[in-house]
Amino acid sequence: MLAGVLTAVLLLLPDDPARRTPGDSRATPERSAGASGGATPSPTPSPRTAPIAASKMSDFGPDALDRTLQPEDWRPWAVSFEGPGAADDCALSGDVLVCRLRDEPTRQTRLEARDASDGSRLWSYPAEGEATSLLGVGGLDVDDRHAYVTAADGEGFEVLDLSDGKPVARLPGRTGYDPSVVRVHDGRIFTSYAGGAGAGLAANMLFRAYDADDRTQVWERVIPWAFPPSLDIVGDRVWLTGSQATFTLDPETGKTLAEAPWNCDRRIRGALYDACNGRVVDARTLRPVGNGTYPGIPEAVSREGLLLVEGDGRRAGSRYIAAVDVRSGDERWTVPWTRGDSVVVAGDRLLAFGGDGVRTFALADGAPGAALSTVRNWPLEGGTAGSNVQPSVVLVSGGAYFLAFGDGTVMTAPVP
């Protein structure tokens, strides 16, 4: 056992989470009314809110461990999603956690939203009994008001009210193209569509941008040889890769700002650096960074420029994660790791989730911190006698982690 690690047992509340009516308002400070005949006092500053968190991210930002940004009345909880299927993608906005559930035997997918404070069910999409297309629903993203997803009938993208899941708008499709991914950023909605020939072939990726307020189309492009699911936002640019090139686009006009003649191996959502064809690049400009050393496909990428990659072989009898400086290519530190465990960055820490529960390490030097080796309601392999299951989805926000597992369990607890 690593020296200095604090091991604890976290007992989640065993009672059923209190139900909250979908769309319940949350208390917010009111502006002060001016006294009669006097000057109006300065408005009360708006409370800070937690940034949007999505499960395809690997760095949840400097405020991820700030407990003052937890959803109102949050407490640890663990529940199961209703119906068959397990989450393969989730996003958290304020006090609403939305997950895409996939039922492997039927290949059907749907959304289910939970109150992030207590785990109570808020809504599902499509509504119960409503059929979905063969492609199901996907491309999930959220902002502070809406959830965005491919429409259940396969025709374009649906804009859903985040509080109750009801459709409020439809972003249209186009004949011969299948909706793929939607991303929302800074007042724009970006969508991608795959042509019938399949991803990565000539003239079969359609790109569109819409105004997030009135949903009017701002621009449209068809880009050959591209991969529709690769759509991402990096800093102030739209990003995509394909079989022959990687691009970044101006979000206002859709014009190409940078292009590089390579394919990037695996995109981590929103990461400022990427590993592409044997080199490390700035994901905005696509220019090689530092000496361009390629240490391997990263498990996580920090905003400050650390690539967290699987080490070569073993150290001290264990597989390990190495923190590699993106500019110099130097290895800064290593921590023990089990293949398949999720590693993410939150604030100034690296968090690892897996068969050992939750472990924390200082991002500055890899020093071990607090850990939770036993967590009640964490699913176990083979029942009560088994070991912890590795989570399939990880989110960190407000000093808490939100996990989903292959058996349909979803849970949240404080970061140790």
Side-chain angles (χ1 to χ4, degrees), residues 289-303:
V289 178
N291 61 15
T293 301
Y294 179 55
I297 300 174
E299 297 292 324
V301 180
S302 82
R303 300 181 187 215

Side-chain angles (χ1 to χ4, degrees), residues 268-345:
I268 294 175
R269 183 171 175 183
L272 298 179
Y273 304 95
D274 209 350
C276 305
N277 263 35
R279 58 183 61 78
V280 176
V281 302
D282 182 307
R284 289 180 65 258
T285 66
L286 304 180
R287 296 172 183 168
V289 178
N291 61 15
T293 301
Y294 179 55
I297 300 174
E299 297 292 324
V301 180
S302 82
R303 300 181 187 215
E304 300 304 316
L306 284 180
L307 303 180
L308 290 309
V309 300
E310 181 180 358
D312 185 14
R314 295 173 180 267
R315 291 190 183 175
S318 172
R319 295 187 183 277
Y320 64 97
I321 286 289
V324 178
D325 186 281
V326 71
R327 298 170 186 85
S328 67
D330 295 338
E331 181 182 290
R332 296 301 187 190
W333 43 263
T334 66
V335 296
W337 177 69
T338 299
R339 183 172 288 171
D341 283 3
S342 296
V343 290
V344 301
V345 175

